[in-house]
Amino acid sequence: MSAREGTVRTAVITGASSGIGAATARALHAAGYRVALLARRGDRIDALAAELGDDAIAIVADVTDRDSLVAAAQRVQDELGGADVLVNNAGIMLLGPFASERREDYRAMVETNLLGAITATEVFLGQLEDGGGDLVNLSSVAGRTARATNGVYAATKWGMNGWSESLRQALLPDVRVTLIEPGVVDTELPTHITDDATRQAVQESYDAARVKPEEIAEVIAFVLSRPRHLVINEVLLRPADQA
Ligand code: NDP
């Protein structure tokens, strides 16, 4: 039996201010977890923490800023007793044709989606290893299938997949590693696309999206609820009509 088994578990969710991250925070809180909500938009996570109540704290943190993650980890240790679960969810999807004009988009995606997740993990790893932890990495169908306009986004998600398999081997059995690979989910993800034509085209498909973030959150909560001798390492899930 692990040191913390039978006690209330604490989940840290990056990118908890909207979409899948906010829904995951709600689902895990409803399942009895204490939750630490990390994101840059403090007003959003403050409102969510207030909605959830005493077992939720909001921490402004940017996954591209290691110091802010170190400070967040200290608060999680002091106020919630340490993280049992880290959900690496923060991400941006700046799609568009490959071109030099978008090199800042490429840097931002690599620094947020891939390096941000790696940094959050190395910062929280000591807490996760203390008593049996879980790491949930948000990848994507784009981590399995690259397309002409998603090259660098896909590269970050393919990177997430390879890194997660390495971590799975390195951290077993104390930390379970799970990769979640959704298709189109109805969130604000496409609104940040800088290429106008691409944003409009992608937004149209998101406007028609029927899969809601709560449905992804439900899967994450299910994965985490398995007995500790079992781990669901990978979940690939698409809208039933996604090609
Ligand atoms: P949202 O845009 O709704 O959420 C993204 C979250 O990431 C926000 O909470 C945002 O918060 C946070 N974020 C972005 N940059 C940073 C940063 N530098 N530091 C901290 N937080 C950051 O989109 P989704 O919910 O859809 O996306 C969540 C994850 O799911 C992403 O990794 C995405 O790639 C993945 N995904 C989404 C799919 C979809 O179709 N929606 C499909 C497959 C995967 P803030 O701006 O406040 O910092």
Side-chain angles (χ1 to χ4, degrees):
M1 192 178 199
S2 76
R4 293 198 192 144
E5 208 165 314
T7 64
V8 176
R9 301 184 89 214
T10 293
V12 175
I13 300 121
T14 69
S17 59
S18 62
I20 295 169
T24 300
R26 285 195 176 93
L28 295 183
H29 188 264
Y33 285 77
R34 297 191 188 103
V35 290
L37 316 173
L38 274 58
R40 295 167 302 176
R41 288 172 293 178
D43 53 341
R44 295 263 201 125
I45 49 175
D46 282 346
L48 181 53
E51 172 197 317
L52 296 178
D54 286 344
D55 291 339
I57 60 171
I59 308 175
V60 173
D62 181 333
V63 298
T64 70
D65 173 3
R66 186 175 188 276
D67 289 346
S68 75
L69 290 170
V70 169
Q74 191 61 54
R75 276 195 63 189
V76 170
Q77 184 67 57
D78 294 345
E79 297 176 35
L80 301 176
D84 301 286
V85 176
L86 173 64
V87 183
N88 277 317
N89 166 78
I92 48 177
M93 181 184 74
L94 307 177
L95 306 182
F98 185 69
S100 296
E101 300 85 74
R102 274 183 291 285
R103 61 190 178 280
E104 282 310 315
D105 286 355
Y106 304 148
R107 176 184 292 278
M109 284 192 287
V110 171
E111 289 187 351
T112 305
N113 302 1
L114 187 54
L115 192 54
I118 291 169
T119 306
T121 302
E122 54 93 355
V123 165
F124 279 97
L125 188 57
Q127 294 181 17
L128 296 177
E129 286 179 324
D130 178 16
D134 285 283
L135 182 67
V136 178
N137 286 339
L138 262 293
S139 178
S140 170
V141 165
R144 295 287 204 94
T145 310
R147 295 184 189 276
T149 58
N150 80 357
V152 178
Y153 179 72
T156 65
K157 297 304 189 181
W158 283 63
M160 187 74 116
N161 290 16
W163 171 62
S164 296
E165 169 57 16
S166 168
L167 274 187
R168 182 192 71 77
Q169 297 174 31
L171 301 181
L172 65 81
D174 297 330
V175 178
R176 303 185 298 185
V177 179
T178 297
L179 196 61
I180 306 286
E181 301 163 305
V184 173
V185 183
D186 181 17
T187 71
E188 61 183 59
L189 193 65
T191 63
H192 308 290
I193 295 172
T194 59
D195 181 67
D196 290 339
T198 304
R199 187 178 60 256
Q200 283 162 22
V202 175
Q203 189 62 56
E204 275 177 29
S205 67
Y206 274 69
D207 288 343
R210 292 179 60 192
V211 175
K212 303 299 174 192
E214 291 73 20
E215 294 174 280
I216 308 302
E218 198 178 344
V219 170
I220 293 171
F222 175 78
V223 164
L224 291 172
S225 71
R226 298 304 86 202
R228 287 213 64 83
H229 64 265
L230 173 71
V231 54
I232 300 175
N233 287 128
E234 195 167 356
V235 183
L236 174 64
L237 60 174
R238 294 183 178 87
D241 60 355
Q242 182 171 329

